[in-house]
């Protein structure tokens, strides 16, 4: 179970208002969730200047998404590849790592564990019971927690950078643009478990770990 560092493309979720979901619809919803949650973390943690984000309405919330062209392109590449791996059932987790720009020290790890219902991958047309409304309510709860995280996370004093790590199955073909990465763990960390959401095809469990004083 090696982690690999990835850069990706956002596929928009257009899930019909039904009470069932297939692998394709689930993949779109999960990919879109990661796009909005990554943007939210980068904004909340001040990795990019606040004026480089624009407000949009999503999940019944006012969300902030980057208007920085370079970051948009990077996230698009990452999410495009992530979507392919989600559809194939090859993703174990996605981790957003925040490090000090000068020190290189890992300060935060936003960890999203992904479980996939194998029956949905083996039979892509199979329908699973779960309403879009219930899924969106669960996602909204996680996004609210990310927004509220500034109340308990230590202030990031120095300029920081971020990496996206994707843990895949070992036999997955990796595009040349991706490089194998170290897991980038934190020394002396504290963890806060966040909520999870499930589409009935994919389940995502969220957690943030942050560095405590040495």
């Amino acid at each position: 179970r090696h982690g690999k560092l990835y850069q990706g493309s956002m596929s928009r979720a257009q899930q019909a208002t039904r009470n069932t979901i297939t692998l394709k619809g689930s993949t779109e919803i999960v990919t879109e969730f990661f796009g909005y949650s990554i943007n939210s973390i980068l904004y909340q943690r001040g990795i990019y200047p606040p004026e480089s984000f624009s407000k949009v309405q999503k999940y019944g919330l006012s969300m902030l998404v980057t208007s920085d062209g370079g970051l948009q392109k990077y996230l698009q590449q990452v999410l495009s590849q992530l979507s392919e791996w989600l559809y194939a059932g090859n993703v174990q987790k996605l981790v957003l790592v925040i490090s000090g720009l000068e020190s290189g020290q890992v300060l935060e790890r936003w960890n999203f564990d992904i479980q996939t219902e194998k029956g949905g991958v083996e039979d892509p047309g199979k329908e699973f019971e779960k309403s879009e409304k219930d899924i969106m309510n669960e996602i909204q709860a996680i996004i609210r927690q990310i927004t509220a995280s500034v109340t308990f996370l230590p202030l990031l004093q120095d300029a920081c950078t971020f990496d996206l790590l994707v843990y895949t199955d070992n036999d997955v073909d990796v595009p040349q643009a991706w490089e194998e990465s170290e897991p980038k763990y934190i020394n002396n960390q504290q963890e806060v478990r966040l909520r999870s959401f499930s589409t009935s095809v994919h389940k995502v469990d969220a957690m943030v770990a942050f560095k405590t004083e040495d």
Side-chain angles (χ1 to χ4, degrees):
R1 295 206 168 203
H2 297 295
K4 304 194 175 140
L5 182 88
Y6 294 158
Q7 14 243 67
S9 148
M10 186 115 114
S11 74
R12 302 281 303 178
Q14 298 294 336
Q15 182 66 15
T17 51
R18 304 171 54 187
N19 290 324
T20 59
I21 190 168
T22 61
L23 174 64
K24 181 175 184 289
S26 176
T27 298
E28 290 174 348
I29 285 175
V30 174
T31 303
E32 189 176 57
F33 161 76
F34 280 124
Y36 281 105
S37 59
I38 290 166
N39 269 281
S40 183
I41 292 165
L42 296 179
Y43 173 81
Q44 297 296 338
R45 305 309 290 140
I47 309 304
Y48 284 77
E51 61 271 17
S52 68
F53 289 81
S54 306
K55 278 189 178 180
V56 296
Q57 292 297 313
K58 186 67 183 176
Y59 309 125
L61 301 169
S62 184
M63 303 288 297
L64 287 140
V65 295
T66 183
S67 46
D68 179 287
L71 180 55
Q72 285 177 334
K73 185 178 178 183
Y74 170 75
L75 291 179
Q76 188 181 45
Q77 290 172 342
V78 174
L79 294 171
S80 176
Q81 184 59 62
L82 179 66
S83 179
E84 286 184 29
W85 285 330
L86 282 167
Y87 190 82
N90 291 328
V91 186
Q92 298 165 7
K93 70 172 74 174
L94 179 143
V95 184
L96 189 158
V97 179
I98 296 175
S99 308
L101 189 59
E102 291 189 9
S103 68
Q105 193 172 54
V106 178
L107 303 174
E108 287 177 13
R109 287 178 105 251
W110 293 80
N111 191 89
F112 299 91
D113 284 316
I114 301 162
Q115 297 173 45
T116 306
E117 178 57 52
K118 292 302 179 190
V121 176
E122 290 161 4
D123 179 7
K126 183 177 180 180
E127 295 191 342
F128 291 79
E129 294 290 325
K130 186 86 180 217
S131 74
E132 181 185 17
K133 183 172 183 285
D134 288 345
I135 296 168
M136 292 304 157
N137 284 342
E138 290 175 17
I139 290 176
Q140 183 192 74
I142 297 183
I143 298 290
R144 284 186 187 279
Q145 285 188 314
I146 292 171
T147 304
S149 65
V150 289
T151 60
F152 63 80
L153 289 172
L155 188 64
L156 296 173
Q157 305 274 11
D158 303 318
C160 292
T161 184
F162 82 100
D163 289 301
L164 290 172
L165 308 180
V166 179
Y167 288 68
T168 63
D169 296 339
N170 287 329
D171 56 354
V172 170
D173 287 332
V174 179
Q176 287 186 338
W178 296 77
E179 55 188 87
E180 197 147 352
S181 170
E182 294 301 314
K184 301 181 187 284
Y185 291 126
I186 301 173
N187 294 324
N188 302 320
Q189 72 172 26
Q190 187 172 335
E191 297 178 2
V192 175
R193 189 153 294 284
L194 306 176
R195 290 176 181 268
S196 62
F197 80 91
S198 170
T199 65
S200 291
V201 183
H202 297 101
K203 182 170 187 272
V204 177
D205 290 293
M207 183 269 287
V208 59
F210 54 94
K211 184 172 178 58
T212 57
E213 292 303 316
D214 294 331

